Amino acid sequence: MQGAIARVLIVVATAILNHPLLFPQQNTTLPEQDQELLARMKEHEERLQLEQARLEKELSQTVSEQQDAGDQDGYSWYFWSALSMVIFLTIEVCRQELTDTQAQLTEADEDMFAESVGSVSSSALVLVKEVLSRFCDSCVHILGHENWRVREFVEGFADDLLESLRSVCDRDTYMEVGDFVGVGSMFESWRFRKPLMCDLIVPFTPKEPYSFQFQLWSNTSSDVPPNLPGCGKIGVVKVGDNVDGCLCGSANLGEDMLCLLHRKSHRPKIDCSPDELLCSKHTCYLAKDHVMKWFQISVTKAWGRISHKYEFELAFRNLDIAGALKVRFRSGKVVLMNIIPVVQLEETDAYFVPHFPSDSDSTPDPYWHLSFAVYERNLLKHLAKSLPDNSCHLHCLQIVTFLHRKQTGLTGKSALTVYHLKTALLHLLLLSKSSSSWEPESLEPRLKDLLGFLQRGLHEKRLHHVLVGNTLVPAEIQVPLEFQTAEPINLFRPLVLQREVYAETVRHFQEMLRNATALIQEYTPFKPNGVAHYGLFVNL
């Protein structure tokens, strides 16, 4: 009898634990996942019904064979059956309440999105092809030749400034500065707003015998918090008296690995100096705040050594962000520069950055964001090779960026950034089955596709990083295997965790859709009698 009761309890526990609704769905916005869960729930129910019928038959046989065991066993059986039923019903009721709560939250999100959307949809936008064409001609072709002149000036000036900075670092610090790398919209040929801005990343390394060691979020042994995907820590290490060339002092061997040349007690000592090596207090991890302060002071000293050669003013736009420079010529023309100190990840084209130019938020020390800007630039260039001449993909990105910036000026900042817009475009290009769909004449439908992709991403609170964990990225881009096989990073993850931020971002995007047609027409030059009048375009 006790064995039969135990089997009944096991069946009840199995039914409870294997019930699909015990755990709430992670994404209730995908109907195909709902169907899959329902199918699995039905299979579970059928298996449990068969098991229950078998056990009932076995119990009935057992009871008939043990009728002489007395009334005490019978009462015990009824007691345990009743208790099991009460427990089962109690859990069912609690689970139903949990499911209702989750459904209410989901409905609240749906209501929030629907309330913001109203009747606005990306596919319902009225975009006149001729107006879009004139808008692009005015923005792109007028500023295109100027972009090249600005890039040429910035590259020459940056070379001179960094050469002066190297002489400062050789004397004052233990860091060496490398050559700059141009990234961002200016070097991807889709920047068109004024004042023109160039983003330059400048890798730096410690002098020998120091070196960097890295801990990535994708490494299972890393202590990077799970809420910081795409981040890592940078350790500064020094190898001691390592005359035999052994790497055990500079490599992280782990607890289970031994050096055959040195015992653990004689292993070369790993050391660091926080003050001289820009590390966080009481740690050997590179601190972003110390790096930014060092770089700002070094740039100031470097400019002081060469300022007599130039006839313009150089100032910091933001004292909290090192390298945010503003060049003002005597004519009044302004050029903006972001010279960002970065750490190169080993021999790859990925760089740890203290901050992103378009993002005011930053992770706490000692966690650094890993930037794939160079790979993204190469990916955009690679995909453009297979597109038709004068393809409309960059025009789509320019128009959406223009709308986003204008809407930000009207209603303030939101969690949506220009980087999200570029990521959405790269996803569309990778998913495109026909390169002919990006003909210049297809600007209107491709623009709606881009806005629709962003709209669906906001609805689902999901926009994956275009390079990490994406099998569609061509092998020619040479993304390291570690990142190809990593779990995808959801760039909209903050929207999942912060409902108020999500609601504000949805409102921003839907207002942008509502105002899109009017803004494009307002800033498009009109041509009465064949003469172009640029009107408000001068303030783009």
Side-chain angles (χ1 to χ4, degrees), residues 129-143 192 392 394-396 398-399 440 443 447 520 523-525 537:
K129 183 181 299 186
E130 290 75 12
V131 175
L132 289 176
S133 178
R134 290 206 310 272
F135 180 85
C136 292
D137 290 341
S138 303
C139 298
V140 178
H141 297 301
I142 287 180
L143 296 180
F192 72 96
C392 63
L394 293 183
H395 291 174
C396 290
Q398 290 167 328
I399 293 175
L443 176 60
L447 179 59
I520 292 175
Y523 285 87
T524 299
F537 171 70

Side-chain angles (χ1 to χ4, degrees), residues 198 220 409:
C198 291
T220 55

Side-chain angles (χ1 to χ4, degrees), residues 343-352 370-372 374-375 478-483:
V343 175
Q344 185 176 10
L345 177 61
E346 298 174 346
E347 299 299 324
T348 71
D349 285 328
Y351 296 88
F352 286 100
L370 188 62
S371 171
F372 297 86
V374 176
Y375 289 111
Q478 298 182 348
V479 177
L481 182 62
E482 180 178 2
F483 303 123

Side-chain angles (χ1 to χ4, degrees), residues 52-96:
Q52 183 179 1
R54 186 183 66 82
L55 288 176
E56 287 179 352
K57 182 178 180 180
E58 183 179 345
L59 285 173
S60 63
Q61 293 176 356
T62 304
V63 172
S64 63
E65 293 174 356
Q66 299 180 357
Q67 287 180 352
D68 55 350
D71 295 338
Q72 185 65 28
D73 290 340
Y75 288 125
S76 176
W77 160 248
Y78 287 122
F79 170 76
W80 286 110
S81 298
L83 181 60
S84 300
M85 184 60 68
V86 170
I87 294 174
F88 183 79
L89 291 176
T90 302
I91 295 178
E92 282 290 329
V93 171
C94 295
R95 182 168 58 235
Q96 186 63 36

